[in-house]
Amino acid sequence: MVIARLSNERDPGDPATVTARIISGKEVASRIHAEVSAGVEEYREKYDGVPGLSVVLIGDDPASHSYVKGKELACEMVGIKTETIRRDASTTQAELLGIVEGLNRDPQVHGILVQLPLPKHLDESTVIHAIDPMKDVDGLHPENAGLLLLGRPRFAPATPLGVQRMLVEENVNMNGARVVIVGRSKLVGMPLAALLLQKGPGANSTVTVCHTGTKDIAAETKRADVLIAAAGFPGTVTVDMVKPGAVVIDVGVSRVDDPSRKRGYRLTGDVDFESVSEVASAITPVPGGVGPMTIAMLLVNVLRAANLAATNQDHNRKTDEIPLE
Ligand code: GUN
């Protein structure tokens, strides 16, 4: 199948530009917020209710608290009803599973997000498995992860969706592009590879995933038209690892000490931004790049979950079929 090329699409890897264009995730995210707001209004008119997201936050990890705050604020901005269930780090597995079961049963809750990482004594996969897959707006439940791999996505994780949407909005021609992802996490690297491999617009790419077992990461990244850094370590991608003209997406967010800042730290990505922006054709900043897109795509998933619940029209689960779980 040949996928039609949008008339203004650019080929990544074209070294015509010398200084990288900065891709603003903030700008793209605010357009998505407007779309979701309109969708929430439509939902309200049709069903006389509002989409609802429940977030479960266990423990006191400062980065997790800050991410959850961002999610709450974004929900409020677009009219999604949100509540965060906060519990301290001593919460037991049974207590957490009880919370998830209660949310599964609550018809006002369309989306459930258990903020990760969980404290060490809690088993992430058991907890994620307990979430109703129709409310799994994180796309991490094995049913949803499997559907994505099969090319029938119901909910894909928000960060990979955000990366893909940014590339599409940036008019990067992904069809046949050589994409190299550094990092194979369940939340980003693996689902992003699955998304970009699919046949269809904004995808159909040739995808390589690098990880700790990769023999020569630079040899792989230097071939990338689109290079996506999702390792979670500052300095993972340096300028010598980037092909001139490549599009570089930085998913990493790390806190590094910075006594010159009032809060004592600054956020930094995986990519050496200063030097890489001199050879890339486009690059995302940290902060203000992928981060806002993650939140925006979570909102999209919550609205989708609410509509699926209202219409019972999930093409992956027809009512005459036996449910998968
Ligand atoms: N921790 C960091 N990012 C995420 C995310 O997208 N979802 C969840 N559940 N936890 C996270």
Side-chain angles (χ1 to χ4, degrees):
M1 184 175 67
V2 176
I3 291 167
R5 179 108 169 260
L6 300 171
S7 59
N8 58 347
E9 268 184 353
R10 304 190 280 106
D11 270 318
D14 173 2
T17 343
V18 183
T19 307
R21 215 187 95 72
I22 310 296
I23 306 174
S24 168
K26 260 193 193 165
E27 276 173 35
V28 181
S30 75
R31 291 204 289 276
I32 296 169
H33 285 197
E35 285 167 25
V36 175
S37 287
V40 168
E41 203 40 53
E42 203 176 309
Y43 179 94
R44 194 198 295 276
E45 279 164 20
K46 268 193 190 155
Y47 306 115
D48 195 24
V50 285
L53 169 70
S54 286
V55 178
V56 183
L57 177 55
I58 310 290
D60 47 18
D61 177 57
S64 291
H65 277 258
S66 147
Y67 293 147
V68 167
K69 195 86 221 146
K71 289 168 188 175
E72 287 174 334
L73 288 173
C75 283
E76 280 162 24
M77 272 163 56
V78 300
I80 288 174
K81 187 175 154 211
T82 179
E83 60 158 358
T84 300
I85 299 169
R86 292 179 168 83
R87 295 284 184 273
D88 63 39
S90 66
T91 303
T92 65
Q93 178 92 355
E95 284 165 344
L96 178 52
L97 290 174
I99 292 171
V100 169
E101 275 153 29
L103 297 173
N104 284 344
R105 281 194 301 269
D106 186 340
Q108 305 233 27
V109 174
H110 303 105
I112 300 171
L113 184 149
V114 177
Q115 184 69 20
L116 302 175
L118 288 171
K120 291 269 177 301
H121 67 283
L122 299 171
D123 181 36
E124 267 177 26
S125 42
T126 306
V127 174
I128 288 164
H129 213 134
I131 297 172
D132 177 345
M134 297 301 294
K135 297 188 177 188
D136 169 40
V137 287
D138 248 341
L140 296 176
H141 187 284
E143 185 178 311
N144 291 319
L147 288 170
L148 174 61
L149 273 180
L150 294 172
R152 294 157 50 198
R154 178 196 284 141
F155 299 117
T159 303
L161 281 178
V163 169
Q164 185 186 40
R165 180 75 185 259
M166 271 177 127
L167 289 164
V168 168
E169 299 266 337
E170 190 61 15
N171 295 315
V172 176
N173 177 20
M174 297 303 287
N175 183 20
R178 235 186 252 278
V179 175
V180 176
I181 301 168
V182 183
R184 59 173 156 190
S185 67
K186 288 190 287 281
L187 266 169
V188 186
M190 289 220 252
L192 181 55
L195 260 184
L196 297 180
L197 275 173
Q198 320 229 325
K199 271 193 182 174
N204 211 29
S205 309
T206 302
V207 182
T208 301
V209 182
C210 297
H211 47 78
T212 47
T214 303
K215 291 223 162 61
D216 183 349
I217 293 185
E220 305 294 338
T221 58
K222 268 193 270 194
R223 289 152 45 92
D225 302 318
V226 177
L227 175 55
I228 302 166
F233 295 103
T236 299
V237 173
T238 46
V239 67
D240 51 304
M241 298 167 71
V242 181
K243 180 169 84 167
V247 174
V248 179
I249 307 290
D250 193 349
V251 182
V253 191
S254 302
R255 289 180 174 205
V256 294
D257 291 341
D258 185 346
S260 73
R261 305 277 172 117
K262 204 167 138 205
R263 55 188 184 183
Y265 68 89
R266 71 191 146 80
L267 296 178
T268 186
D270 287 356
V271 176
D272 185 352
F273 183 87
E274 298 245 311
S275 57
V276 172
S277 57
E278 281 171 22
V279 302
S281 62
I283 188 167
T284 59
V286 177
V290 174
M293 291 300 295
T294 296
I295 295 183
M297 298 316 286
L298 171 67
L299 305 177
V300 170
N301 276 352
V302 175
L303 178 60
R304 180 171 162 75
N307 277 310
L308 286 177
T311 56
N312 201 19
Q313 274 180 359
D314 177 30
H315 62 281
N316 284 305
R317 186 186 276 193
K318 299 201 191 79
T319 44
D320 56 352
E321 281 176 4
I322 298 165
L324 292 175
E325 83 271 57

mmCIF file of all heavy atoms in Angstrom, residues 64 67 71 113-117 138 140 158-159 187 294, ligand 1:
data_model
loop_
_atom_site.group_PDB
_atom_site.id
_atom_site.type_symbol
_atom_site.label_atom_id
_atom_site.label_comp_id
_atom_site.label_asym_id
_atom_site.label_seq_id
_atom_site.Cartn_x
_atom_site.Cartn_y
_atom_site.Cartn_z
ATOM 1 N N SER A 64 6.898 12.548 40.582
ATOM 2 C CA SER A 64 5.555 12.005 40.349
ATOM 3 C C SER A 64 4.486 12.991 40.816
ATOM 4 O O SER A 64 3.468 13.190 40.137
ATOM 5 C CB SER A 64 5.367 10.674 41.086
ATOM 6 O OG SER A 64 6.174 9.686 40.492
ATOM 7 N N TYR A 67 4.246 15.673 38.196
ATOM 8 C CA TYR A 67 3.558 15.210 36.973
ATOM 9 C C TYR A 67 2.048 15.131 37.198
ATOM 10 O O TYR A 67 1.251 15.540 36.342
ATOM 11 C CB TYR A 67 4.039 13.812 36.549
ATOM 12 C CG TYR A 67 5.470 13.738 36.082
ATOM 13 C CD1 TYR A 67 6.236 12.594 36.311
ATOM 14 C CD2 TYR A 67 6.065 14.789 35.391
ATOM 15 C CE1 TYR A 67 7.558 12.511 35.888
ATOM 16 C CE2 TYR A 67 7.382 14.709 34.973
ATOM 17 C CZ TYR A 67 8.119 13.578 35.222
ATOM 18 O OH TYR A 67 9.421 13.493 34.808
ATOM 19 N N LYS A 71 -1.215 16.894 35.326
ATOM 20 C CA LYS A 71 -2.349 16.168 34.751
ATOM 21 C C LYS A 71 -3.669 16.717 35.292
ATOM 22 O O LYS A 71 -4.624 16.923 34.547
ATOM 23 C CB LYS A 71 -2.231 14.661 35.059
ATOM 24 C CG LYS A 71 -1.098 13.990 34.272
ATOM 25 C CD LYS A 71 -0.763 12.584 34.759
ATOM 26 C CE LYS A 71 0.500 12.085 34.036
ATOM 27 N NZ LYS A 71 0.994 10.791 34.486
ATOM 28 N N LEU A 113 -5.509 5.946 36.070
ATOM 29 C CA LEU A 113 -4.061 6.016 35.859
ATOM 30 C C LEU A 113 -3.366 5.816 37.199
ATOM 31 O O LEU A 113 -3.598 6.583 38.130
ATOM 32 C CB LEU A 113 -3.712 7.373 35.253
ATOM 33 C CG LEU A 113 -2.253 7.604 34.860
ATOM 34 C CD1 LEU A 113 -2.175 8.540 33.663
ATOM 35 C CD2 LEU A 113 -1.428 8.163 36.004
ATOM 36 N N VAL A 114 -2.599 4.759 37.312
ATOM 37 C CA VAL A 114 -1.790 4.547 38.513
ATOM 38 C C VAL A 114 -0.408 5.092 38.190
ATOM 39 O O VAL A 114 0.286 4.586 37.297
ATOM 40 C CB VAL A 114 -1.711 3.040 38.879
ATOM 41 C CG1 VAL A 114 -0.795 2.842 40.089
ATOM 42 C CG2 VAL A 114 -3.107 2.486 39.159
ATOM 43 N N GLN A 115 -0.037 6.168 38.878
ATOM 44 C CA GLN A 115 1.229 6.832 38.554
ATOM 45 C C GLN A 115 2.412 5.914 38.874
ATOM 46 O O GLN A 115 2.487 5.325 39.954
ATOM 47 C CB GLN A 115 1.331 8.161 39.335
ATOM 48 C CG GLN A 115 2.544 8.994 39.013
ATOM 49 C CD GLN A 115 2.529 9.585 37.600
ATOM 50 O OE1 GLN A 115 1.484 9.707 36.959
ATOM 51 N NE2 GLN A 115 3.697 9.929 37.090
ATOM 52 N N LEU A 116 3.328 5.803 37.934
ATOM 53 C CA LEU A 116 4.519 4.963 38.085
ATOM 54 C C LEU A 116 5.750 5.863 38.217
ATOM 55 O O LEU A 116 5.730 6.989 37.721
ATOM 56 C CB LEU A 116 4.655 4.057 36.847
ATOM 57 C CG LEU A 116 3.451 3.146 36.565
ATOM 58 C CD1 LEU A 116 3.660 2.390 35.262
ATOM 59 C CD2 LEU A 116 3.200 2.192 37.721
ATOM 60 N N PRO A 117 6.809 5.445 38.849
ATOM 61 C CA PRO A 117 6.978 4.121 39.456
ATOM 62 C C PRO A 117 6.262 4.006 40.791
ATOM 63 O O PRO A 117 6.061 5.008 41.487
ATOM 64 C CB PRO A 117 8.496 4.041 39.646
ATOM 65 C CG PRO A 117 8.939 5.461 39.815
ATOM 66 C CD PRO A 117 8.020 6.289 38.975
ATOM 67 N N ASP A 138 -3.718 4.610 30.198
ATOM 68 C CA ASP A 138 -2.254 4.566 30.066
ATOM 69 C C ASP A 138 -1.833 3.574 28.983
ATOM 70 O O ASP A 138 -0.662 3.557 28.578
ATOM 71 C CB ASP A 138 -1.658 4.063 31.389
ATOM 72 C CG ASP A 138 -0.873 5.132 32.110
ATOM 73 O OD1 ASP A 138 -0.488 6.119 31.467
ATOM 74 O OD2 ASP A 138 -0.650 4.949 33.317
ATOM 75 N N LEU A 140 -1.342 0.402 29.245
ATOM 76 C CA LEU A 140 -0.308 -0.511 29.749
ATOM 77 C C LEU A 140 -0.827 -1.909 30.065
ATOM 78 O O LEU A 140 -0.048 -2.841 30.231
ATOM 79 C CB LEU A 140 0.333 0.075 31.024
ATOM 80 C CG LEU A 140 1.094 1.384 30.824
ATOM 81 C CD1 LEU A 140 1.592 1.912 32.163
ATOM 82 C CD2 LEU A 140 2.268 1.177 29.873
ATOM 83 N N ALA A 158 0.380 7.457 26.413
ATOM 84 C CA ALA A 158 0.282 8.862 26.017
ATOM 85 C C ALA A 158 1.591 9.438 25.460
ATOM 86 O O ALA A 158 1.561 10.232 24.518
ATOM 87 C CB ALA A 158 -0.185 9.686 27.216
ATOM 88 N N THR A 159 2.728 9.048 26.023
ATOM 89 C CA THR A 159 3.981 9.655 25.536
ATOM 90 C C THR A 159 4.268 9.242 24.092
ATOM 91 O O THR A 159 4.532 10.113 23.245
ATOM 92 C CB THR A 159 5.156 9.319 26.474
ATOM 93 O OG1 THR A 159 4.819 9.783 27.790
ATOM 94 C CG2 THR A 159 6.437 9.985 26.029
ATOM 95 N N LEU A 187 6.725 2.097 28.947
ATOM 96 C CA LEU A 187 5.924 3.316 28.793
ATOM 97 C C LEU A 187 6.235 4.075 27.514
ATOM 98 O O LEU A 187 5.393 4.786 26.985
ATOM 99 C CB LEU A 187 6.193 4.259 29.967
ATOM 100 C CG LEU A 187 5.266 4.184 31.169
ATOM 101 C CD1 LEU A 187 5.829 4.990 32.329
ATOM 102 C CD2 LEU A 187 3.877 4.689 30.826
ATOM 103 N N THR A 294 2.552 14.598 26.364
ATOM 104 C CA THR A 294 2.127 13.420 27.136
ATOM 105 C C THR A 294 0.800 13.730 27.827
ATOM 106 O O THR A 294 -0.151 12.935 27.788
ATOM 107 C CB THR A 294 3.197 13.052 28.187
ATOM 108 O OG1 THR A 294 4.373 12.670 27.500
ATOM 109 C CG2 THR A 294 2.743 11.925 29.090
HETATM 110 N N1 GUN B 1 5.250 7.960 35.137
HETATM 111 C C1 GUN B 1 5.883 8.724 34.206
HETATM 112 N N2 GUN B 1 5.140 8.814 33.077
HETATM 113 C C2 GUN B 1 4.020 8.085 33.309
HETATM 114 C C3 GUN B 1 2.874 7.794 32.508
HETATM 115 O O1 GUN B 1 2.745 8.211 31.355
HETATM 116 N N3 GUN B 1 1.934 7.003 33.102
HETATM 117 C C4 GUN B 1 2.078 6.517 34.366
HETATM 118 N N4 GUN B 1 1.095 5.743 34.851
HETATM 119 N N5 GUN B 1 3.125 6.777 35.123
HETATM 120 C C5 GUN B 1 4.091 7.563 34.596
#
